Amino acid sequence: MKQFFILFILFTYGLTQSQTLSKKQDYFIQFNGSQLSKKVSVAEVLNHSLLKNGKMKLDVNQYADLIKLDQKITAHGNYSDSIPYYQITIPIKNRNDIKNFLVKKDQESDSVAKPLIEDFGQYSVYNSSDKKTTMAWNDSHLVIFGLTKKYSYNDYTIPPPPVVDSVAVEATDIVIDVPVESSIDTTYTDYSDNYYGNYQKEQTAFDSIQAISQNRFIKLLFENGFTVPTSDKVHETADISCWVDYGAALSGFNSAYMALAQFTTYNKFFPSQKNWGNFVKGINVDFYFDNDNARIEEIVEYSKPIADLVSKISNRKANKNIFNYFPAQKPLGYLTYHFNTKEMLNSFPTLTAEVFNNPYILKEDIGVATDLISTIIDEKATATLFDGDLSMFLYDMAEREVTTKTYEYDENFESKEVVKTVKKTVPLFSVIFTSTHPTFGDKLIQLGVRKKGLTQKGNYYEIKGTQEFGNLFIFKEKDVVIIGNSIDHIFPKDNSFSKEVKKELKQNYFAAQVSMDKLVTAYSNSGEAKPSDIKSLNRLAQQFTDVTLYSGKKLLDNKLKFELKLNSSNGDKNIILQTLDMIEELSTK
């Protein structure tokens, strides 16, 4: 009788909770088939020999015959409200074709429990045999819908270990004589069986209620005419556009660490989901596939107070002295990053207060902590140790004689130190940063000399014990500090490359580039690459020229944009087809 009432209450609760579905969207993904089809023929992609006849052997045409791939396909959902769900919306060509396709798939299935297809005049419904997914479609659209809430069984608790003949079994190392079998209490075993039996029954009831709720929501979607989901958060010009509510996205993480509550009380002091959401409102990730490049744009929308801080940190003019040490020619790869260290330090108390703003920590307590930090740290003076200019360069790959120390065992199994000099290919690189502190850098170098960790070599200092890395050095002139292993590269004969980077940094606070053709050539000639890989690497270098990454200085409407671009050497064919061509060529050799 108890089980009946539990199931009845669970059933009633499920029906009352399934009347309305929140209109709030925590994420929205849109495949802009109408946009992409202007750039590349869908038929060309689907009928590419790699997909049809290659090793992949994907029978994609069976889906192309059902779906309008030149229209929008969307996926959206909600996972932070009381009724989490997902919905995928796909434009279709013919209603009957969908039904016939599903019937055929059911006939091919080995499952004993066959799914059910029901027609409701305006729409049809298909429920999977496990009742986890519901599909519905009308004359124009197919919807895949599912509720994602998991059932949690909390009605029962495991009792403590049983008492045997009035003597409690304790977690010690003592040995207890076990009494005769007839005197052992079987309550615990019986309880365990009942626990899992009840769990399975209630789980089954919960799944049934979820299935009923899913069909209720499907009815609401279709009975008065289906409305295609839209969102003003995604971008119509992108081939694929994605948006996620940042605060809601962290709800899963929030739930995970909240589970620590059963083990500790400290989790209540962690940043809450709401606090993280106060930093970032949402994130867009958009994909573009053109003839000469494929690129990803990530746009982070900050809250107004945080956007003001980020703008102050990112909008910084680079120290012009660093450009004197940029290489003359474009290197294999580089990264240059320029932010305002002082503003970042000034923003620290505000950011800290925002993160840990919760009922368990008083604002007055936060104020004491941030005031203490601000008192200890002189933002203006500390910022001079590292101003915020950081540039890294990979010049080339070179063979160097490297001295290493290893330990070997003699015939008596005693270890002895062995010094070996071998030829090794090492990357030639440098790291450049600025420090405007008047004395700290010079005093630190002199300390290294006194401690015999640095050896002066003309106008630079060699770092002892770094032979394995190609003999590292430190060079300092005024407010520029350089660490690297190729001193010749930091004295360029011209400034053509630095002019190019200066131009990039007028609009961006972060810029990076990897020249794939130069990198592959250097690696292939280094002796490190396997002969079997060289052909594939060379093909890659012929297809794609470089990869670039930029991030703008200024925020627009509290949004900061990052762009990652893969540039192709061929502008006559869409990059999707180029990629398929390359994969097919490499896979057949």
Side-chain angles (χ1 to χ4, degrees), residues 512-546:
Q513 185 179 84
V514 175
S515 298
M516 298 183 65
D517 50 354
K518 293 182 179 180
L519 182 62
V520 167
T521 300
Y523 180 68
S524 298
N525 296 333
S526 67
E528 295 290 324
K530 297 179 180 179
S532 59
D533 295 334
I534 291 178
K535 182 178 292 186
S536 299
L537 291 171
N538 289 337
R539 180 66 180 87
L540 186 68
Q542 293 170 7
Q543 185 71 40
F544 303 108
T545 57
D546 54 54

Side-chain angles (χ1 to χ4, degrees), residues 249-263:
L250 290 171
S251 61
F253 172 75
N254 185 65
S255 300
Y257 76 61
M258 286 299 289
L260 296 175
Q262 56 184 313
F263 305 110

Side-chain angles (χ1 to χ4, degrees), residues 459-489:
N459 59 349
Y460 67 95
Y461 299 85
E462 190 174 275
I463 304 175
K464 290 186 177 180
T466 61
Q467 292 87 349
E468 186 175 354
F469 306 101
N471 292 319
L472 299 183
F473 69 85
I474 294 179
F475 172 85
K476 183 179 185 302
E477 188 171 66
K478 297 180 180 179
D479 49 7
V480 177
V481 181
I482 305 175
I483 299 174
N485 63 357
S486 181
I487 192 68
D488 295 335
H489 281 93

Side-chain angles (χ1 to χ4, degrees), residues 103-116:
V103 170
K104 182 180 178 182
K105 287 297 181 183
D106 288 343
Q107 292 173 349
E108 296 173 355
S109 174
D110 295 331
S111 176
V112 176
K114 295 297 182 182
L116 177 64

